[in-house]
Amino acid sequence: MRIVIKVGTSTLAHETGKLNIKRTTDLCGVLSDLKNAGHEVILVSSGAIGMGVGKLGLSEKPKDIPTKQAAAAVGQCELMYTYDRNFTEFGQTVAQILLTGSDFSAEDRHENFTNTLFKLLELGVLPIINENDTIATEEIKVGDNDTLSALVAVSAKADLLVILSDVDGLYSADPHKDTNAKLIERVQGCPAELFDLAGGEGSALGTGGMRTKIKAAKLCVENGADMVIANGENPEVLYEIVNGNLGGYTRFFAE
Ligand code: GLU
């Protein structure tokens, strides 16, 4: 299987903003193991801005664009250093690819991207992708890594995209407000009414980014890839997902 895995800053870092060493090491171990088992693995990782904030000793996430972009430039370096060290321990070679929205809309750039991606996979490399936050402005950026990971999954003709998050998956209602809310484990395609469950911008679920995840699911299932939302707390969940064992997470089945 060709699998794209997306991890967010909340999976990689503690609430203090510092790197969650155990989680990151576990994640690299499981992804290496999946590769050793014969799967092709592409990682889409956030964390550039968060790591830059930590490394520069800033007291909070910057609000102005130049500082944000400077933090991303520092943090992306730290992020790749962390991955390179960890994956090397497990015998893997990694590569960095930084993209913006225009790399998907401009045909020649998109073709260059996919040519490089397929060559890296052929060479047995594990590509690690992020938005090129140091140059991406409002007009050209993808904007969030849920969407970026879906665009990557479709471009890579992946079988499966797994979005690792700080929630178990999609619920039938807001679990913070409704004690009867149930985890939806199986979705065929991506019906329009799911967007109602995600809530609007700023609602409890929307803040967690459920809307961008459902949009990502729609893009995937319409293009023949399954998509999963799972909790990144324990990266071993990836073994269950790849083996097709349902339970404890949400899986959208391709149409
Ligand atoms: N590209 C951003 C970063 O690396 C994260 C965007 C997102 O998580 O959606 O910090």
Side-chain angles (χ1 to χ4, degrees):
M1 268 214 285
R2 182 172 294 160
I3 313 159
V4 177
I5 288 115
K6 183 256 168 179
V7 276
T9 313
S10 63
T11 300
L12 297 171
H14 289 289
E15 275 172 21
T16 57
K18 297 234 190 288
L19 184 71
N20 187 326
I21 296 172
K22 180 172 188 310
R23 178 97 46 80
T24 309
T25 311
D26 288 354
L27 176 71
C28 293
V30 174
L31 296 185
S32 301
D33 209 14
L34 291 174
K35 267 196 92 237
N36 287 353
H39 299 291
E40 288 179 327
V41 175
I42 300 167
L43 179 61
V44 174
S45 178
S46 308
I49 297 175
M51 285 213 170
V53 168
K55 186 95 180 179
L56 290 167
L58 305 177
S59 56
E60 54 170 10
K61 197 173 160 182
K63 291 187 181 62
D64 66 293
I65 293 180
T67 317
K68 240 190 229 176
Q69 295 193 315
V74 171
Q76 182 63 30
C77 210
E78 181 73 1
L79 188 64
M80 283 310 294
Y81 174 61
T82 304
Y83 279 130
D84 201 5
R85 244 180 358 191
N86 273 293
F87 278 116
T88 300
E89 288 286 314
F90 296 110
Q92 306 296 337
T93 301
V94 298
Q96 171 185 263
I97 304 180
L98 297 177
L99 300 168
T100 61
S102 48
D103 296 319
F104 291 94
S105 50
E107 208 177 309
D108 52 339
R109 290 163 74 156
H110 185 252
E111 195 182 329
N112 289 338
F113 158 55
T114 49
N115 285 345
T116 306
L117 187 67
F118 291 133
K119 183 53 80 177
L120 287 168
L121 293 175
E122 191 188 309
L123 292 167
V125 173
L126 194 157
I128 303 178
I129 301 177
N130 195 359
E131 176 124 39
N132 195 351
D133 294 313
T134 58
I135 58 152
T137 55
E138 212 51 59
E139 302 78 55
I140 60 160
K141 71 181 178 184
V142 176
D144 70 86
N145 277 9
D146 293 330
T147 309
L148 177 67
S149 63
L151 291 171
V152 167
V154 172
S155 302
K157 300 184 176 34
D159 302 291
L160 173 67
L161 164 64
V162 181
I163 295 189
L164 293 177
S165 177
D166 54 1
V167 291
D168 290 345
L170 178 66
Y171 282 83
S172 58
D174 184 347
H176 300 112
K177 294 184 189 146
D178 185 348
T179 47
N180 292 321
K182 286 208 170 45
L183 180 68
I184 302 171
E185 296 189 332
R186 223 191 129 90
V187 183
Q188 191 60 44
C190 187
E193 52 277 18
L194 288 187
F195 283 95
D196 300 335
L197 292 180
E201 222 64 59
S203 76
L205 280 174
T207 314
M210 201 43 84
R211 184 162 284 271
T212 54
K213 289 176 180 55
I214 295 175
K215 267 198 214 160
K218 187 164 157 43
L219 199 59
C220 285
V221 298
E222 284 177 355
N223 286 281
D226 283 8
M227 198 197 93
V228 163
I229 304 169
N231 202 318
E233 215 168 49
N234 176 13
E236 301 233 336
V237 70
L238 286 166
Y239 290 122
E240 302 302 322
I241 295 168
V242 170
N243 290 331
N245 302 329
L246 289 181
Y249 62 87
T250 302
R251 186 169 186 135
F252 299 81
F253 288 86
E255 281 159 338

